[in-house]
Amino acid sequence: MDWQPDEQGLQQVLQLLKDSQSPNTATQRIVQDKLKQLNQFPDFNNYLIFVLTRLKSEDEPTRSLSGLILKNNVKAHYQSFPPPVADFIKQECLNNIGDASSLIRATIGILITTIASKGELQMWPELLPQLCNLLNSEDYNTCEGAFGALQKICEDSSELLDSDALNRPLNIMIPKFLQFFKHCSPKIRSHAIACVNQFIMDRAQALMDNIDTFIEHLFALAVDDDPEVRKNVCRALVMLLEVRIDRLIPHMHSIIQYMLQRTQDHDENVALEACEFWLTLAEQPICKEVLASHLVQLIPILVNGMKYSEIDIILLKGDVEEDEAVPDSEQDIKPRFHKSRTVTLPHEAERPDGSEDAEDDDDDDALSDWNLRKCSAAALDVLANVFREELLPHLLPLLKGLLFHPEWVVKESGILVLGAIAEGCMQGMVPYLPELIPHLIQCLADKKALVRSIACWTLSRYAHWVVSQPPDMHLKPLMTELLKRILDGNKRVQEAACSAFATLEEEACTELVPYLSYILDTLVFAFGKYQHKNLLILYDAIGTLADSVGHHLNQPEYIQKLMPPLIQKWNELKDEDKDLFPLLECLSSVATALQSGFLPYCEPVYQRCVTLVQKTLAQAMMYTQHPEQYEAPDKDFMIVALDLLSGLAEGLGGHVEQLVARSNIMTLLFQCMQDSMPEVRQSSFALLGDLTKACFIHVKPCIAEFMPILGTNLNPEFISVCNNATWAIGEICMQMGAEMQPYVQMVLNNLVEIINRPNTPKTLLENTAITIGRLGYVCPQEVAPMLQQFIRPWCTSLRNIRDNEEKDSAFRGICMMIGVNPGGVVQDFIFFCDAVASWVSPKDDLRDMFYKILHGFKDQVGEENWQQFSEQFPPLLKERLAAFYGVSVCVVGGVAGERAASRSRCALVEGG
């Protein structure tokens, strides 16, 4: 017998649905409570499906809402629906998928896919056959409703549909969908392509078997009148470019021609899908070959797409010039994630690597929705990286017209173009920069805020070149103008200027020292001026300044300017406030830079960090014991606090000792080192290393407990955790000396394994090599027997590191181990020679150690063998060893010498 509602119950449900559409929050609360009560009755869900599918007299929004509430119930407690209720709902869905209203059809489709994704695809065997059957219906609504539901199922369960669990229904479904590519209704054609598109990226076998038919059908739809169909065709071609380029190559010329047209489609959604094609093509090895002849058409199209549309300008309030007094709304502020501290070593000729910053490329993040402007700019950026200078002949003629255009929208797009090509075309742009940079600096004072903000961004992309010129040429004028923009009346310009200034700081480093007073005056003034969102960016600019100028900041007049506003913010913020993250990061950089200058401020800062760690650990413990009563804590608070403590220990050095003595930080650290979250362990080990350097007397009593934990974290699956644990072990070695002996076996095998692993990141290899060297320095007898197992990778990973204390102690260790086990180095002696030659100026006693080993080896093997052996050395290595260590090496004349050098068994990079 079919279920029928009770009239009174039905009225009650309808009233509830009406109330829930009320904007009044008090009413909303009552509705939520009522829903909770009604969910106690199993057949409440029957009422909801009844209103959705049968109550045609009700208005559509009410019926649809009934279905959406039912969908939420299915999501939350479908497992506890009694079977008759579940069956009634499923039956009603299938019987009414062809409802006359498109809103109701879509709601039923959402309900079907929600039930299917609750593991019901297996338990509802008739669903897919029935939906596929309904596609054949003469009635448009039934066909469209069934297709809508199938499209949602394909989106939500694509993997399951291509599995044996369901007996591979795609073998029937894909050929069926392909038949509908030629349907007379554009809505149906669009559904059909969208369904098949779900299976491209996973290379579903059923689609691969029909791939040629699919591509043929797509080509047939290329000039479809319906924008939704064109958009899905473009999307399919972009994905095929990634997974089945082999099938597209024969048609590549016509596909590119087609995409050039579609990138200019009058429907922006189609143009955006098509524009993705260039981004994807740029990643393919064949890009240069197939696209070179089309650049002349493509470049103007991309450049044209980089103009703000009218709708963009409205959304960006592009006509509002001054808004600095308007408070930010909370949804404007993106959640921030703290990046935990990783310990790295300085390299030869190091310059800041801008690669991570390439992500936050564009300037208008308020429109964080991907749009044609951003996609065109990103495409130009990646193509500039593929074609390099070859792009410029197509661009330069356009650029001149854009950059000096009277209309601000056009001029703005020209400045964006210039920024987008900065990375890829830098070499080719150099001749034009002496003229362009002053023009861009002038644009910083443009009357339109959106021109001023994009000029900030583009100038930051050329900061490396600016800094390479004499400072009075461009650095000084750029800095002066950027500082004015930091105090702009427009919030977007403030933000762009602050970010650009942080990039300039990274590039200029100590070049900024003469202007510190002026810079600090501006940044401190901004403190009083900025709204919430830009304050967070200002902290970053201050932290970056401290990182860039280092101890030069430790002057009483600078400290007087900078610290009071920072400490005032610090006192205003509560322990639960996430704004603490950027402020703590900023203070960490400042403390490291100010060193002893931070002493007057360190006590309250230190105490609060310890409290944050303690609170978070306590919350985590309560949550573990009673998850139903307590919320999981946000561990970022603890991570940021640990990192600031590291900054304090590094900056204050021995002065941190009294603070550590008066706190329980070592006990807390013991817990943090065992936390389940890798980032917490990563920051803990960084702090352990810094405390070891600053006040070992407090670390030493804990070594017996800490060492086994360090040993178990030498797991390269968690790269950064492993890296910091390795570094901390090395620092502990240097303090423990021979007392390290009981712990060598806990860590040595793991370290040797890591240094021999293929594809280990450079930073981890370097830190591992340093720590193995330091272990050998304090316990040569224990480590030397394994010398042969690590000497080669040890030498290659340390050859590019600058002379410093860490390198010094590691090389002393290797020399002492060679003394204990000379046989361990014989087979790889050329690598040792190369590593020794990488030193620019070793201390005298270390140079003596090298001298003795080199001459000892030469005497041991005898003159003739040595001459044969040294024939393999590249010329530069021969010169260095002869000059620094008086080791005469065989210099073979002419071609033979070249051949001997190229036969060298190790990939010696000339110029180490």
Side-chain angles (χ1 to χ4, degrees), residues 89-156:
I89 293 171
K90 293 197 297 203
Q91 206 40 57
E92 282 299 298
C93 284
L94 283 174
N95 291 346
N96 293 279
I97 192 73
D99 193 280
S101 148
S102 64
L103 176 65
I104 301 303
R105 294 199 297 275
T107 309
I108 292 174
I110 290 172
L111 188 52
I112 288 176
T113 188
T114 309
I115 295 172
S117 63
K118 295 303 280 184
E120 281 291 299
L121 264 180
Q122 288 101 316
M123 310 299 291
W124 193 357
E126 67 275 21
L127 172 64
L128 293 173
Q130 277 200 21
L131 286 176
C132 285
N133 229 357
L134 292 171
L135 295 182
N136 302 328
S137 167
E138 293 296 306
D139 173 50
Y140 167 79
N141 291 340
T142 306
C143 176
E144 196 279 325
F147 238 135
L150 279 165
Q151 185 181 332
K152 295 180 182 84
I153 292 170
C154 291
E155 283 168 17
D156 294 343

Side-chain angles (χ1 to χ4, degrees), residues 346-358:
H347 287 91
E348 284 308 331
E350 190 164 43
R351 86 171 200 80
D353 170 26
S355 55
E356 297 130 49
D357 308 332

